Structure formats: structure tokens, C-alpha cells
Amino acid sequence: GEAIDVDVTVPEGDEFFVDMYNSDKGVEMFVDGEGSQTVTFAGTDTDNLEPGTYSLVLSVDSNFRSLHPIVISGYDVSFTLPDEANSGGTVEIDDISVQKTELNDGPSKVEVVFWNDDRVERVEASGSEGSYSASVDLDGFDTGEYNVHVAALGEEEFQGEQEILGLSDRQTID
């Protein structure tokens, strides 16, 4: 039900399409334009989309130029993370919350993702009924800043991965 704004940068005079693909590789909707601009998928258009992972694909002159994943959320996902952790230690995340918003059943899996430019580490959280926890072993992690997300996953696949049905805001840890 929320609008999705997409900033498109192409040479002036070039026509483009931004297509939204579902997990079955079908086009749900599209917008078109010419030259650099911001285009919008209206909230009235997204209101009828099922929760899941979608792709926004930019094509210019019938050539695919860019792909951007987007999640239509079926869960409200949040967590609390300490500001920092010791290399070689463990980060305990005991307060992961996954609340149903658009879906009636719980997710098939909840996953914590630690990542930076050099490494991605995924850890399955344990729990149920909207309350989860996870331990991330930092043995072998280089020092530095890492991004952290929590994802509520479904049983379907999207581009070879379990589809994301809910995604937390990104947090960072040093």
C-alpha cells in the first residue's frame, strides 16, 4: 500500500521502462519515462501485491540496464544490536521480533545477516510465536564495521534464494 519512488538516470531523450517482476518472473506492473527523473509506483498499485520479494528492472532501448530487489513486507521485523563486539567473540541477539502484518502464518525461517564488502555471514535464529534469538560467532571476522539485517523468510524461492517476506531496518556494529 505504500508508493515506491525510483530515481532513474539515463541520457536525456532516452526512453526507459521500470518493470516490477514477481518471483515467477512475471511483470506485475511497470512505469515508463524519458530522460533522468523520479518515477513512482503508486500506493494504490502496490496495495494489491502479495508479500514477497520482487525485482525492479530498468530497461533502456530494450536492453536491461539495472536490477534492484524490493520486499513487499508481510511482517514487521525489528531487533536490538549492541554498538560493538570483540573480534573472536560472540554477539547475542536475544530480542528479535517478527510480528505478522499481512500474513497469517509465521515465517518458515528467520535469519540474521552480518555483512560488509568482504564477507557475508548468515545465521538462522531460533524461536517462535514472533520472538527469536541468534548467536553470531565472530571468530575469523576482521575488525571493522558490519551491516546487520534480520529477514523473515518464506518457503518459495526468488532467484535461487528463499524469498524474503519481511526485512528489518539495517543496523551497524563495530
Side-chain angles (χ1 to χ4, degrees):
E2 293 180 16
I4 301 169
D5 293 327
V6 182
D7 293 327
V8 178
T9 304
V10 298
E12 286 304 314
D14 282 3
E15 294 180 357
F16 66 84
F17 288 90
V18 179
D19 297 314
M20 180 183 286
Y21 286 87
N22 61 29
S23 59
D24 295 326
K25 299 181 183 174
V27 175
E28 288 284 343
M29 62 185 86
F30 71 92
V31 293
D32 60 352
E34 184 178 310
S36 298
Q37 61 178 290
T38 299
V39 295
T40 301
F41 291 96
T44 54
D45 295 332
T46 65
D47 195 35
N48 296 321
L49 294 175
E50 294 292 321
T53 308
Y54 295 79
S55 287
L56 297 179
V57 177
L58 171 66
S59 54
V60 180
D61 299 325
S62 300
N63 295 311
F64 294 117
R65 301 290 178 153
S66 182
L67 174 115
H68 185 79
I70 190 162
V71 174
I72 303 297
S73 188
Y75 301 104
D76 183 22
V77 181
S78 62
F79 68 104
T80 304
L81 185 69
D83 293 333
E84 59 184 38
N86 293 325
S87 181
T90 302
V91 174
E92 300 290 338
I93 305 172
D94 295 322
D95 58 352
I96 299 169
S97 173
V98 178
Q99 301 303 313
K100 300 171 193 169
T101 57
E102 300 295 323
L103 296 169
N104 295 324
D105 296 328
S108 67
K109 180 165 75 169
V110 175
E111 188 173 73
V112 176
V113 183
F114 267 59
W115 58 277
N116 66 8
D117 291 338
D118 300 320
R119 183 173 182 163
V120 175
E121 189 74 28
R122 296 177 177 189
V123 176
E124 187 172 346
S126 60
S128 63
E129 302 297 321
S131 182
Y132 298 84
S133 63
S135 295
V136 180
D137 181 5
L138 300 178
D139 191 35
F141 277 73
D142 291 335
T143 58
E145 184 177 83
Y146 288 82
N147 300 292
V148 183
H149 280 99
V150 174
L153 305 176
E155 294 184 19
E156 301 288 322
E157 284 194 1
F158 183 80
Q159 297 187 0
E161 299 281 340
Q162 274 184 283
E163 82 173 318
I164 299 171
L165 298 175
L167 186 65
S168 70
D169 289 336
R170 180 183 58 145
Q171 296 186 36
T172 58
I173 187 169
D174 289 318

